[in-house]
Amino acid sequence: MTPSTVPQSSVGPGVTGGFWGKAGISPSPFATLEPVAPLEVSANRWVTASTARRPIAADADSCELVDRKVRSLLNKLTMEKFDSISDQIVAWANESENENDGRTLIQVVGLVFEKATNDAARSEMYARLCRKMMETISPEVQEDGIKNTKGKPIVGGQLFRKYLLDRCHEDFKRGWFHKETTEAAVAAKAPDDQAIKAANEKRGKESLYSDQYCAAQKAKRRGLGVIKFIGELFKLQMLTERSMHECVKKLLVNVENPGEEEIESLCQLLKTVGQQLDVPKAWADMDVYFARMKELRKDLNVSPRMQFMLQDVIELRERRWAGRGGVSAPTTIAADHKAAAKEKATAEAQIYQRQLAKLSAALVPKMDLHTFCDHFNLSLAILQKLDVMKITGPHGLRFVSNTDLREIGKLHIGELADVRDAQERWTLGL
């Protein structure tokens, strides 16, 4: 088609008809806008953490590099990868070999301590990490001016242990001051929080916790994490028994008005290390501790929640530190799967045995008591004792407990064993 035969409704320059209007296509509304200067980058703009992160030179002495690398390793630490990742953490701690102030080792200790106290559920694993670091850190790591009582420098794993224990002692003592400050802030903010909560409930809105309340809960979790971590270090023989008794005494020192955090920390510590402390040479001290705990349990100024928590620990000692539901140590995923499979197989075997016993009991012929005793060579004394109990045969014997046979039937342990052995052979049709 030649240009002269193009319909006027076609789209194109100079077209005057059709959908686009008689005057042709109107110019774009953006064609008349003036150029706009590019947006300026704000200094306080929001950016993602990965974008904001500045590149760091691969310098082993860089505090920021150590912080980033060790934090990353601690986040990846599991029982499956424990050996490989812990070796890398030890390697970072050994960077202090070329330092005379041990700053890298101090930084690594702080990061491990922070992670362990914030992740109390896995504090045992972090305690194992500390034990390995104490045993494997290079003896070339030292700090000028730190010496033992004999005047020799403290080096390697012992220097790591000193840094770690100093941090534990400092945080244990300093933590109470921070908690008291936080509690005061919460108490001052309480009326406002209650007013806000009432207003939100009146409007049907969900009530949010105040910043002070969240800070108090965070301090509480961290304080309990410190207690549990200290206990796990003691169980690995990184802390002395004397240190544990000092911690218990400090938590019990407030006789007049003990705080909830002190009582809860005491219970956490005794649940963690009570079994190790409750040895013959320390029974006198332990009796004093638990006598004080029994007094607190009856104190009307102590909240019901704390009273029940104290009661749980008291009963735990009475059971010789055997928990109702055993708390397992950190394990690998493969070990968990193996234990689950074993538990499942045991349960299936028990079900099969019960079904087999029911089937066998239904198939075996009934037998009177005299025939039963004669067939399985039970003594006349056993026959007379079972007859006194009105037992007519092995079918009825299945529903009589061993306790009743001993207490009511007066069967001796040997006679009871003979009766149960005969009952089992009868069930199997032997």
Side-chain angles (χ1 to χ4, degrees), residues 21 37 46 117 125 145 153 165-166 211 241 243 293 330 348 372 385:
W46 180 89
T117 53
M125 182 180 67
L165 299 191
D166 287 347
D211 293 340
E241 186 176 343
S243 299
M293 291 171 65
E348 291 176 349
F372 173 72
K385 292 178 180 179

Side-chain angles (χ1 to χ4, degrees), residues 5 41 43 146 162 172 233 348 383 410:
T5 60
V41 178
I146 296 184
K162 182 183 185 307
F172 182 81
L233 291 175
E348 291 176 349
L383 172 62
K410 306 300 181 182

Side-chain angles (χ1 to χ4, degrees), residues 155-170:
V155 300
Q158 292 304 314
L159 182 62
F160 166 81
R161 179 177 179 271
K162 182 183 185 307
Y163 287 154
L164 180 64
L165 299 191
D166 287 347
R167 179 64 188 271
C168 291
H169 183 262
E170 176 186 354

Side-chain angles (χ1 to χ4, degrees), residues 117-136:
T117 53
N118 289 330
D119 189 5
R122 300 197 298 168
S123 59
E124 183 176 352
M125 182 180 67
Y126 296 115
R128 293 184 185 183
L129 171 64
C130 293
R131 178 71 189 189
K132 179 176 180 178
M133 294 179 70
M134 185 183 73
E135 295 173 349
T136 57

Side-chain angles (χ1 to χ4, degrees), residues 70-364:
V70 175
R71 283 184 187 275
S72 176
L73 291 171
L74 290 172
N75 290 335
K76 299 173 185 176
L77 185 64
T78 60
M79 292 307 300
E80 287 84 4
K81 304 177 181 178
F82 183 83
D83 291 335
S84 61
I85 292 182
S86 60
D87 289 341
Q88 296 179 61
I89 296 175
V90 171
W92 279 106
N94 285 337
E95 294 294 337
S96 287
E97 290 179 341
N98 301 321
E99 303 168 352
N100 56 8
D101 55 359
R103 59 182 180 274
T104 301
L105 179 59
I106 294 174
Q107 186 178 2
V108 173
V109 169
L111 293 172
V112 173
F113 182 84
E114 178 184 352
K115 185 67 175 178
T117 53
N118 289 330
D119 189 5
R122 300 197 298 168
S123 59
E124 183 176 352
M125 182 180 67
Y126 296 115
R128 293 184 185 183
L129 171 64
C130 293
R131 178 71 189 189
K132 179 176 180 178
M133 294 179 70
M134 185 183 73
E135 295 173 349
T136 57
I137 284 181
S138 170
E140 299 297 326
V141 177
Q142 60 181 325
E143 178 180 350
D144 296 344
I146 296 184
K147 299 180 180 180
N148 58 19
T149 55
K150 297 181 180 180
K152 297 182 179 180
I154 301 177
V155 300
Q158 292 304 314
L159 182 62
F160 166 81
R161 179 177 179 271
K162 182 183 185 307
Y163 287 154
L164 180 64
L165 299 191
D166 287 347
R167 179 64 188 271
C168 291
H169 183 262
E170 176 186 354
D171 213 79
F172 182 81
K173 292 182 63 177
R174 187 180 59 185
W176 296 114
F177 173 77
H178 288 302
K179 289 175 185 175
E180 292 170 359
T181 304
T182 306
E183 288 175 355
V186 173
K189 185 69 175 177
D192 296 337
D193 292 342
Q194 292 295 331
I196 294 173
K197 180 179 179 181
N200 289 334
E201 290 178 352
K202 185 176 181 180
R203 294 195 300 266
K205 293 184 179 180
E206 183 179 359
S207 178
L208 299 178
Y209 294 115
S210 66
D211 293 340
Q212 287 78 6
Y213 176 83
C214 294
Q217 293 302 307
K218 183 178 179 180
K220 176 182 175 180
R221 287 193 301 269
R222 180 175 175 82
L224 293 176
V226 171
I227 293 295
K228 193 170 189 309
F229 183 56
I230 289 174
E232 296 296 344
L233 291 175
F234 167 71
K235 290 164 69 174
L236 294 179
Q237 300 179 353
M238 294 188 67
L239 283 168
T240 63
E241 186 176 343
R242 178 175 173 272
S243 299
M244 289 298 97
H245 283 287
E246 290 297 328
C247 290
V248 175
K249 292 175 183 177
K250 176 175 174 57
L251 296 173
L252 285 172
V253 70
N254 191 351
V255 179
E256 298 296 332
N257 187 24
E260 287 195 359
E261 283 76 9
E262 293 172 335
I263 297 177
E264 192 165 352
S265 296
L266 173 68
C267 294
Q268 177 67 68
L269 183 61
L270 290 176
K271 284 191 293 184
T272 305
V273 302
Q275 185 175 9
Q276 287 73 24
L277 292 179
D278 201 4
V279 293
K281 65 178 182 180
W283 279 348
D285 291 332
M286 294 294 288
D287 290 341
V288 173
Y289 302 155
F290 277 85
R292 173 59 184 150
M293 291 171 65
K294 290 177 181 179
E295 294 177 2
L296 290 174
R297 183 190 58 185
K298 300 177 182 179
D299 193 341
L300 298 179
N301 295 325
V302 177
S303 67
R305 175 173 171 267
M306 293 297 105
Q307 291 177 355
F308 284 115
M309 191 174 292
L310 290 166
Q311 180 65 27
D312 288 341
V313 180
I314 293 171
E315 293 178 355
L316 184 62
R317 191 194 186 198
E318 293 174 352
R319 295 194 303 269
R320 297 183 180 180
W321 306 100
R324 294 190 179 94
V327 180
S328 59
T331 59
T332 62
I333 296 177
D336 290 338
H337 289 171
K338 184 177 180 180
K342 183 178 180 180
E343 183 178 352
K344 182 179 179 181
T346 302
E348 291 176 349
Q350 292 175 351
I351 294 173
Y352 174 76
Q353 291 294 336
R354 287 196 296 267
Q355 293 175 345
L356 181 62
K358 291 180 181 179
L359 181 61
S360 300
L363 294 177
V364 295

